[in-house]
Amino acid sequence: MEAQPPVIRAFGDAGVAEAAALIRAGGIVAVPTETVYGLAADARDAQAVARIYAAKGRPSFNPLIVHVADLAAAEAIAVFDDDARALATRFWPGPLTLVLPLRGDAGIVSLVTAGLDTIAVRVPAHRAMQAVLAAAGAPLAAPSANASNGISPTRASHVAASLGARVPLILDDGATAAGVESTIVGGRTILRPGPVTSEMLSTMLPVASGQTEHVSAPGQLATHYAPAKPLRLEAVEAAGDEWLIGFGMVAGDDTLSASGDVVEAAACLFDALHRADASPATRIAVAAVPERGVGVAINDRLRRAAHR
Ligand code: TXA
Ligand code: MG
């Protein structure tokens, strides 16, 4: 039997209602956030969460981020101290995930936390994810909506290409704005760099950068963000059969940002990697991106993609 391709619905009342109905019935739905598209299910329903792992082909020891509508909903599942509340108040809704002690009465299934006594939680800013949260009335576990070890999706078409018939419905609200996954903070340590930069966090708290080489967040495996082709970093020109992704002065087959803007580069990053993977070239080269602001997150993802 031929598998059916996923249904793609434009963001709107009908699409949101359909997504929420699927989630309430224990299903999974791909929903955009301001960072990347997530593959969402009710975090209180073990079978629904199991469907996320099955669709992604993700090892079950890798815990998931739970998305909630607001700080009050987050406080119902996680224990906040003063630091966490300060960060939440300043950066939520937005691309910041906090790893906090799990409340005993949270009602979140252990498959979400992979049995840890902490939980990763965030309040997304995107209208589509917020609408689905409101309509489904549930905390939503949602990893990036790609097959395990694939590139994170920043468009509905990326989700369809990566998961195909394994996701029944994709809510399409165009390209995501931030383009890289949320910043993850545990205590005063950045476990994964992201759109909320260390400079931004430092205006609220003294924060340290985590040792991402040695696996601090369980999912921070070196192979996590990877295109299918070999990738060379800090390229100034394409060699032989390479597809060059440029930045600033380095022009290529494609560019992350011709003007050298790291925020624009983050928004374009995964799109550019998808195009490079789809190109006829057998290798990928990427120009150097400055290690400032969200450039830290871009370089983190690029190093992971190169070291697989
Ligand atoms: O922007 C994002 O964060 C996207 C969108 C969909 O919200 N989600 C995302 O999820 O990137 P995912 O599953 O691809 O990455 C979740 C990361 C993994 O590295 C995982 O190991 C870590 O969060 N994580 C989850 N729970 C954790 C916990 N209790 N302690 C430490 N790390 C945790
Ligand atoms: Mg991911």
Side-chain angles (χ1 to χ4, degrees):
M1 201 178 83
E2 271 294 295
Q4 295 298 304
V7 172
I8 302 183
R9 288 264 184 273
F11 171 74
D13 291 346
V16 169
E18 198 176 333
L22 255 173
I23 287 169
R24 282 197 303 268
I28 56 174
V29 182
V31 183
T33 78
E34 69 275 41
T35 57
V36 300
Y37 277 66
L39 188 59
D42 187 338
R44 307 164 305 183
D45 179 339
Q47 286 206 37
V49 176
R51 291 190 181 102
I52 296 177
Y53 286 107
K56 284 182 65 82
R58 162 178 275 205
S60 59
F61 49 76
N62 200 348
L64 308 177
I65 294 173
V66 173
H67 302 67
V68 292
D70 53 29
L71 177 56
E75 298 217 36
I77 60 177
V79 181
F80 281 69
D81 60 12
D82 289 348
D83 283 0
R85 204 166 285 114
L87 293 179
T89 304
R90 171 68 183 80
F91 296 109
W92 283 355
L96 175 68
T97 295
L98 299 175
V99 173
L100 299 169
L102 177 66
R103 278 181 64 122
D105 59 354
I108 303 296
V109 298
S110 62
L111 201 49
V112 168
T113 54
L116 298 173
D117 56 7
T118 55
I119 187 161
V121 61
R122 86 176 182 98
V123 174
H126 198 283
R127 63 177 184 174
M129 183 56 113
Q130 277 289 350
V132 173
L133 281 166
L140 297 178
S144 52
N146 52 275
S148 200
N149 291 333
I151 302 167
S152 287
T154 56
R155 295 174 183 276
S157 60
H158 298 162
V159 180
S162 184
L163 295 178
R166 286 180 286 167
V167 58
L169 178 67
I170 303 171
L171 194 57
D172 184 356
D173 200 13
T176 63
V180 291
E181 300 87 343
S182 62
T183 305
I184 303 180
V185 172
R188 294 184 167 185
T189 303
I190 300 172
L191 301 175
R192 178 175 73 180
V196 176
T197 64
S198 64
E199 293 90 332
M200 292 161 73
L201 291 164
S202 298
T203 63
M204 304 299 298
L205 282 183
V207 288
S209 281
Q211 273 296 357
T212 48
E213 278 312 301
H214 123 204
V215 182
S216 44
Q220 289 292 75
L221 305 173
T223 57
H224 194 65
Y225 304 95
K229 297 173 183 174
L231 186 143
R232 183 169 67 90
L233 301 179
E234 297 183 27
V236 290
E237 56 188 26
D241 60 348
E242 284 177 338
W243 174 271
L244 177 60
I245 301 173
F247 178 87
M249 300 290 283
V250 178
D253 300 286
D254 198 355
T255 183
L256 294 175
S257 169
S259 65
D261 176 351
V262 287
V263 173
E264 182 188 13
C268 295
L269 176 66
F270 289 117
D271 228 9
L273 290 175
H274 279 280
R275 279 194 293 270
D277 250 349
S279 78
T282 57
R283 297 168 172 279
I284 307 170
V286 188
V289 174
E291 190 79 1
R292 66 160 187 270
V294 76
V296 176
I298 295 171
N299 287 323
D300 172 71
R301 305 307 189 272
L302 285 174
R303 276 193 295 271
R304 288 171 200 287
H307 289 159
R308 67 192 302 249

